[in-house]
Amino acid sequence: MKNLIVLFLSAIVVSVGISACKPKSMTSAVSGDAAAKAYVAPGQYDQFYNFVSGGFSGQLSVYGLPSGRLLRVIPVFSVDPEKGWGYSEETKPMLNTSHGFVPWDDLHHTEMSQTNGEVDGRWVFGNANNTPRVARVDLKTFRTAEIIELPNSAGNHSSPFITENTEYVVAGTRFSVPADNANGDVPINTYKQNFKGHLSFISVDPTSGNMDIAFQIRCPGVNFDLSHAGKGPSHGWFFFSCYNTEQANTLLEVNASQKDKDFIMAVNWKKAEEYVKAGKGTKVPVTYTINRWDEATHSATTTVKKEVLVLDSKELTDICYMMPCPKSPHGCDVDPSGEYIVGSGKLAALIPVFSFSKMQTAITNKEFDGVYEGINVIKYESALYGEVQKPGLGPLHTEFDANGNAYTSFFVSSEVVKWNIKDLKVLDRVPTYYSVGHLCVPGGDSQKPFGKYLIAYNKITKDRYLPTGPELAQSAQLYDISGEKMQMILDFPTIGEPHYAQACPAEKVKDLSVKIFKIEENNHPYATKGEKDAKVVREGNKVHVYMTTIRSHFAPDNIEGIRLGDEVYFHVTNLEQDWDVPHGFAVKGAANAELLIMPGETQTLKWVPDKVGIAPFYCTDFCSALHQEMQGYMRISPANSNVPIAFSLGQAAPPTEEVKM
Ligand code: RUQ
Ligand code: CUA
């Protein structure tokens, strides 16, 4: 058996090699007619926003479709010196975890909030695959508004998928590990006894969007890979693909590929809610953080939580059910009707499509095929609607259009295959360049797909662009899917590694986009609302600079009286009330990044001077014809100096006594 698997795996490796060379059909070139479909004239807006996960960049990038224009990179889990994210005092708390400040993560999936099963354009969620977290990005500001950590978890991959009214965002642990309150100092080969897989159901406040963990479900020690919520008739259920049901703890590429079938776990979360209400959960001591951005104070705060409510799938046996799914399922996708659940087995030669209604009947009639670690396993045939035969090699992910069609990506055979959900017949196939992972159709995992385009996010780029040394940007490919046949119309590079993405019509987002922060609503404790209030205040060895910016100067721009050993906090308020006039702020030698301060906002840069002398500072963002003049000086004296604090603007030099500006 093992040999067979090795053979099969090496066959895959060989075929990857082949497909990654030159495609057989060279009809890949985007023809003039096709290119016109992706052309958006200068000054014209795109029709869709596309929110693309950045993978190991930890960020989220925003593209316009169909042009493929990169509109913005939103920092989420990784520090971003360009925007001061994780460098300014206000943003640092956003990256706090129970491990302290964590400056990086691996964002795999994005999911937009929904109302009545339709993308509503309010928020985009993202998952952290390393230090398990979920982020919420506010689409009014295109900023990360909240990051919540997940206890009892390690690697959060099957996330951040949501229910049809954004009641919950889910997260299932990718690595099973001992629970946080259990003794984790155990031999790794006691995996089967000691390792557990927890699912988190994160509630989302419908008004504020604030997240918290409503409850967790303790599950067997498998690897949860991907998930999707039921919709319409299956609303109330969630589906998770599981691999490593062998519960191997080493050489998973072989040891977790032993079984013919792993599982898709169906979770009745409405039932779980009932158990929570009935007091069936256990409060378990844990530590996790919730970091929230406050738009009024332009600052983040961290709350440390000490407890989580856990339901046990072994005791409450009607919450979770296993559906056997061929060969290491990856994608787990629910069609717009909510009736069909598509499992994509990475090593399977077919695509199983499960029927929600058949699954319900099977549960009622107890058509089970044994029990897996206390969880009933539904008979494969009892839950199966049918199989798509010979679709391609290495199916990964499926998206849907509004016309009853499914689109599945095939990593090994580098193609996208369109098939009909009802009769399971393959309708069309197009090559991708190369080795496609996720797909995205605007609204393609909601009840109301907008269709029109499909984007393939590829893992291997090879010869698609001009060479840039050993490292190449990953590629995305845009297909027009409005006709019967898919047609590639654009090929564009991405930031980091794109995994899942979301897209929606521009109208859902663009008119709500904030242009400035109103200065009178700025409640930052160190805000300076006019130049006359600018000042420098010493408090022990801390020096607070209340600074303002407006085209094209800082107030104050000459500062004296700073000493070695001081910590200097520049609280910079941008007084502009005009769209697209940020000012930047940077200090020579600061072990820090720049600040980029939006109109009406206050941000703080901490600077610890390390040398006696003069340190210049300047505006980093070209804001006016006299941007280059937007600069200033600080004088740093020895630790024992008695040069008093002084500051000025528009005077030749500050007198060495306190001055009024
Ligand atoms: S993954 S290529 Cu979503 Cu991390 Cu499938
Ligand atoms: Cu302000 Cu350049």
Side-chain angles (χ1 to χ4, degrees):
M1 183 65 194
K2 213 171 232 170
N3 282 345
L4 258 183
I5 282 160
V6 171
L7 258 182
F8 186 52
L9 285 175
S10 47
I12 286 177
V13 170
V14 168
S15 54
V16 170
I18 290 169
S19 61
C21 287
K22 276 285 171 196
K24 276 177 222 119
S25 74
M26 280 306 291
T27 54
S28 67
V30 173
S31 70
D33 143 58
K37 291 188 174 174
Y39 181 71
V40 178
Q44 298 290 303
Y45 284 167
D46 276 293
Q47 294 159 20
F48 291 90
Y49 282 102
N50 184 202
F51 300 97
V52 186
S53 63
F56 45 66
S57 85
Q59 319 297 47
L60 193 155
S61 32
V62 185
Y63 290 86
L65 296 178
S67 74
R69 290 169 179 159
L70 175 64
L71 305 176
R72 182 160 184 77
V73 177
I74 303 173
V76 183
F77 294 117
S78 297
V79 295
D80 180 358
E82 178 193 327
K83 299 172 184 73
W85 183 253
Y87 293 93
S88 70
E89 294 308 295
E90 289 80 1
T91 56
K92 280 177 183 172
M94 290 301 290
L95 301 177
N96 281 342
T97 71
S98 61
H99 303 273
F101 180 86
V102 173
W104 169 87
D105 219 298
D106 185 12
L107 193 167
H108 281 215
H109 308 123
T110 56
E111 176 94 326
M112 296 186 78
S113 55
Q114 295 181 13
T115 303
N116 299 324
E118 189 172 347
V119 168
D120 61 21
R122 301 178 75 193
W123 305 304
V124 188
F125 298 88
N127 69 313
N129 191 37
N130 182 44
T131 304
R133 285 169 286 171
V134 167
R136 178 172 55 86
V137 171
D138 190 335
L139 290 180
K140 288 200 302 300
T141 54
F142 282 61
R143 282 186 173 176
T144 303
E146 189 176 17
I147 295 182
I148 185 170
E149 190 183 6
L150 306 163
N152 294 325
S153 306
N156 169 29
H157 195 262
S158 56
S159 181
F161 302 102
I162 59 159
T163 52
E164 65 187 24
N165 282 299
T166 320
E167 295 94 337
Y168 294 108
V169 176
V170 301
T173 189
R174 173 253 179 104
F175 299 92
S176 280
V177 284
D180 289 359
N181 71 328
N183 174 22
D185 180 16
V186 294
I188 297 168
N189 65 14
T190 62
Y191 186 109
K192 290 191 170 127
Q193 299 92 278
N194 291 320
F195 290 41
K196 293 285 166 219
H198 284 79
L199 304 180
S200 304
F201 281 76
I202 303 163
S203 58
V204 181
D205 183 277
T207 314
S208 66
N210 286 349
M211 301 187 282
D212 201 352
I213 302 176
F215 57 89
Q216 291 191 318
I217 305 176
R218 183 182 302 132
C219 296
V222 298
N223 294 25
F224 292 108
D225 202 8
L226 279 150
S227 67
H228 263 103
K231 18 181 112 119
S234 55
H235 178 63
W237 288 75
F238 231 104
F239 305 93
F240 292 83
S241 55
C242 317
Y243 66 105
N244 194 22
T245 54
E246 295 87 349
Q247 304 193 329
N249 56 276
T250 181
L251 196 63
L252 264 63
E253 70 169 317
V254 175
N255 295 330
S257 308
Q258 297 292 309
K259 291 192 180 167
D260 244 19
K261 292 195 176 67
D262 293 279
F263 298 121
I264 284 180
M265 191 168 86
V267 180
N268 186 343
W269 58 261
K270 287 263 184 194
K271 194 88 211 164
E273 277 182 336
E274 285 171 25
Y275 283 130
V276 167
K277 278 207 192 96
K280 298 284 181 186
T282 313
K283 287 186 177 159
V284 175
V286 291
T287 302
Y288 68 96
T289 54
I290 303 180
N291 309 319
R292 285 191 187 134
W293 185 257
D294 181 339
E295 218 52 86
T297 59
H298 302 288
S299 312
T301 43
T302 297
T303 311
V304 178
K305 300 281 233 172
K306 287 290 187 186
E307 205 173 67
V308 70
L309 192 74
V310 179
L311 300 171
D312 194 336
S313 66
K314 236 181 194 163
E315 284 162 19
L316 308 167
T317 54
D318 53 355
I319 304 179
C320 300
Y321 297 90
M322 296 296 200
M323 297 194 286
C325 184
K327 296 278 198 255
S328 305
H330 185 56
C332 180
D333 301 289
V334 180
D335 89 306
S337 77
E339 164 65 7
Y340 303 105
I341 302 128
V342 181
S344 298
K346 297 188 290 272
L347 306 178
L350 51 80
I351 305 174
V353 179
F354 299 94
S355 150
F356 177 73
S357 49
K358 277 187 80 180
M359 184 196 100
Q360 293 301 300
T361 312
I363 291 171
T364 313
N365 299 340
K366 298 203 165 27
E367 293 165 40
F368 298 139
D369 199 1
V371 174
Y372 179 85
E373 302 242 339
I375 298 182
N376 286 310
V377 180
I378 300 169
K379 283 199 177 114
Y380 179 62
E381 292 72 23
S382 298
L384 188 74
Y385 172 69
E387 294 167 340
V388 183
Q389 296 297 334
K390 299 222 176 84
L393 282 178
L396 289 186
H397 297 282
T398 301
E399 284 274 283
F400 304 93
D401 66 15
N403 310 317
N405 300 308
Y407 302 79
T408 302
S409 60
F410 289 85
F411 177 82
V412 175
S413 52
S414 277
E415 59 187 336
V416 179
V417 174
K418 174 181 176 181
W419 50 277
N420 181 279
I421 304 168
K422 278 272 149 62
D423 65 17
L424 307 177
K425 291 261 156 41
V426 170
L427 302 171
D428 189 22
R429 56 178 74 233
V430 284
T432 61
Y433 305 92
Y434 304 94
S435 301
V436 57
H438 276 275
L439 299 175
C440 166
V441 170
D445 69 341
S446 73
Q447 283 182 66
K448 289 171 194 139
F450 305 104
K452 193 152 181 169
Y453 299 113
L454 172 126
I455 312 103
Y457 299 97
N458 304 314
K459 302 298 183 188
I460 296 170
T461 302
K462 291 272 184 198
D463 51 9
R464 295 300 289 182
Y465 309 129
L466 282 175
T468 52
E471 189 177 1
L472 302 164
Q474 254 85 353
S475 77
Q477 271 144 4
L478 181 69
Y479 299 84
D480 179 343
I481 56 165
S482 54
E484 245 166 67
K485 297 278 172 200
M486 296 176 274
Q487 182 188 23
M488 189 195 292
I489 58 173
L490 185 71
D491 185 333
F492 59 99
T494 64
I495 305 284
E497 180 179 72
H499 293 248
Y500 197 36
Q502 297 267 288
C504 78
E507 294 69 52
K508 299 234 171 221
V509 175
K510 77 175 189 350
D511 298 333
L512 297 173
S513 196
V514 165
K515 295 192 169 69
I516 58 159
F517 298 110
K518 289 194 186 122
I519 190 81
E520 61 275 15
E521 289 171 9
N522 181 333
N523 284 331
H524 191 292
Y526 291 94
T528 310
K529 299 202 180 174
E531 271 181 20
K532 62 175 189 337
D533 300 322
K535 61 186 174 187
V536 180
V537 177
R538 172 178 289 285
E539 284 169 16
N541 75 328
K542 292 193 168 61
V543 176
H544 291 279
V545 181
Y546 295 72
M547 186 179 264
T548 62
T549 64
I550 196 148
R551 281 162 286 183
S552 298
H553 58 268
F554 294 98
D557 67 359
N558 280 203
I559 301 169
E560 298 198 350
I562 293 168
R563 301 177 200 140
L564 278 193
D566 283 347
E567 281 176 6
V568 186
Y569 293 87
F570 299 95
H571 309 288
V572 187
T573 301
N574 182 351
L575 297 176
E576 306 281 356
Q577 292 287 275
D578 238 357
W579 194 20
D580 199 23
V581 191
H583 292 284
F585 179 77
V587 181
K588 183 197 172 202
N592 208 334
E594 67 162 349
L595 295 176
L596 203 58
I597 313 128
M598 298 305 130
E601 184 181 42
T602 304
Q603 291 289 284
T604 301
L605 189 89
K606 180 182 171 185
W607 174 57
V608 182
D610 67 323
K611 279 181 190 150
V612 169
I614 298 293
F617 56 89
Y618 75 102
C619 172
T620 53
D621 187 317
F622 207 109
C623 49
S624 75
L626 296 173
H627 152 81
Q628 197 70 357
E629 281 73 8
M630 195 166 171
Q631 63 175 52
Y633 287 111
M634 277 169 305
R635 172 182 168 192
I636 302 101
S637 305
N640 57 2
S641 135
N642 49 22
V643 176
I645 290 284
F647 52 90
S648 64
L649 168 71
Q651 283 164 293
T656 47
E657 291 156 15
E658 263 241 57
V659 279
K660 282 248 164 69
M661 293 194 42

